[in-house]
Amino acid sequence: MVSLLCNPLATVEQLASSPSQADGVPMDLETSLRWAGCTLIQSAGILLQLPQKTIATSAILFQRFYLLSSLRSFALLDTVHASLYLSSKLTEHPTKPRDIINVTSYLLLTPSPSPISPPPGKTDPPSTPESYYVPESTYYAQRTRLLAAETSILKSCGFQTHASLPYTLCINYLQSLSALSGDVVRRSFGHLTDALLSPSLLYLTHQPNALAVAAAYLACRECGVKLPGGWWEVFDVEREELGFLVVGMRGVAQFVDEQVKVWRGRGEGIPWGLEEVDMCLERRRVMDEAMQA
């Protein structure tokens, strides 16, 4: 029987060579598109007023799917829509496809605090509130692709949609260490949420208890809370694993800053569709040939 506190983890073979890389997508582009998808999920989830449990589950399903499928076979935007739609049902906060599509369309076309939105001045905001909604023809086409992508996610994952999250564990650990305070909890949750964007796929390579311990460790250090020596071993986490997770979580902010600079410096923007991915790869090929000539 599988424990409800454990998640299925990625294998070494899956991490070494993904279907996207086998399809000709460079590793750096794949990592960047994974970040873009998870960022759009986080931003859309906030505007849809979904709980963090739903948002985190959606990001995990999204990452699992592209560990098993190629970015050249399934459009990034369709998978984002399907992941949000599926996770909203799994976590008992069902959301209409129309709401998901309208919100993502707003984020991708209108300047906002989200890193994947266009910067101010690059696009003209709609003149009326109704202009934010996608046309009916666009909505029905995207809804059809959403439902098809949802089916693909379920098939690829073998209908294994369980995702145990570390947030509750983190609170329990802090309470048992007598380190439970509002500031520590906020910082811990911040690190756990940032880890969803990690290029190291921390949620696919480590169990929730290890993630919770690493977030608590960082938060307590930042708040100056002293903890007993070797306390992480009580929660079945080795020192080497803790060190790796701490480095991974602390590096997310720099990684996000780099991605924002990369994509906002390019005129073509993030390739959310299959044709856009192919065009991006073709531009890279031409540039590489020009540099070698």
Side-chain angles (χ1 to χ4, degrees):
M1 180 178 179
V2 179
S3 172
L4 294 178
L5 298 179
C6 296
N7 287 325
L9 300 181
T11 64
V12 176
E13 292 75 15
Q14 288 174 328
L15 295 172
S17 179
S18 68
S20 296
Q21 294 175 35
D23 253 356
V25 180
M27 182 182 296
D28 65 317
L29 180 59
E30 179 187 19
T31 301
S32 190
L33 294 181
R34 284 177 181 270
W35 164 80
C38 288
T39 301
L40 181 57
I41 286 173
Q42 183 73 34
S43 301
I46 292 173
L47 292 185
L48 289 167
Q49 298 182 346
L50 295 173
Q52 184 58 29
K53 177 181 179 181
T54 302
I55 298 172
T57 300
S58 177
I60 292 172
L61 292 174
F62 173 87
Q63 292 173 345
R64 286 180 185 172
F65 178 67
Y66 280 121
L67 200 66
L68 304 166
S69 305
S70 172
L71 285 159
R72 300 191 72 177
S73 299
F74 299 93
L76 193 66
L77 184 59
D78 297 338
T79 307
V80 168
H81 290 161
S83 299
L84 277 167
Y85 182 61
L86 179 58
S87 68
S88 70
K89 293 188 291 184
L90 293 172
T91 57
E92 299 180 357
H93 289 86
T95 304
K96 297 178 181 178
R98 184 183 295 273
D99 294 338
I100 294 173
I101 292 169
N102 280 327
V103 164
T104 56
S105 176
Y106 165 81
L107 286 168
L108 297 180
L109 297 176
T110 309
S112 76
S114 174
I116 46 84
S117 293
K122 190 171 182 179
T123 59
D124 296 327
S127 57
T128 60
E130 291 76 12
S131 303
Y132 288 111
Y133 296 97
V134 298
E136 284 297 301
S137 59
T138 303
Y139 162 68
Y140 283 114
Q142 291 194 6
R143 188 188 67 173
T144 300
R145 297 199 300 270
L146 179 157
L147 296 175
E150 180 190 24
T151 302
S152 298
I153 292 174
L154 290 171
K155 287 182 178 179
S156 296
C157 297
F159 290 85
Q160 172 54 271
T161 57
H162 170 71
S164 180
L165 302 175
Y167 294 94
T168 302
L169 284 175
C170 188
I171 291 179
N172 292 337
Y173 293 170
L174 289 171
Q175 188 172 18
S176 65
L177 293 166
S178 301
L180 189 64
S181 68
D183 194 21
V184 172
V185 171
R186 281 192 296 272
R187 289 177 179 269
S188 298
F189 279 22
H191 289 303
L192 291 174
T193 301
D194 288 346
L196 291 166
L197 306 177
S198 172
S200 301
L201 304 177
L202 299 181
Y203 275 79
L204 300 189
T205 55
H206 298 273
Q207 294 294 357
N209 67 304
L211 294 167
V213 166
Y217 176 88
L218 276 173
C220 288
R221 289 201 63 177
E222 292 168 355
C223 295
V225 178
K226 294 185 178 180
L227 298 174
W231 61 271
W232 48 84
E233 296 178 356
V234 177
F235 304 111
D236 198 24
V237 178
E238 297 181 355
R239 186 183 185 90
E240 290 76 13
E241 183 179 16
L242 173 61
F244 178 86
L245 285 170
V246 167
V247 172
M249 289 182 178
R250 294 182 68 176
V252 171
Q254 181 180 353
F255 169 73
V256 171
D257 290 341
E258 292 172 353
Q259 295 303 313
V260 172
K261 291 179 182 177
V262 166
W263 288 110
R264 288 195 171 175
R266 297 180 180 178
E268 65 271 13
I270 298 172
W272 296 103
L274 294 180
E275 293 183 359
E276 294 169 332
V277 171
D278 290 338
M279 291 174 60
C280 182
L281 293 174
E282 180 63 19
R283 280 191 294 268
R284 282 194 168 212
R285 185 188 65 80
V286 172
M287 291 177 62
D288 290 341
E289 291 179 354
M291 291 179 64
Q292 293 175 3

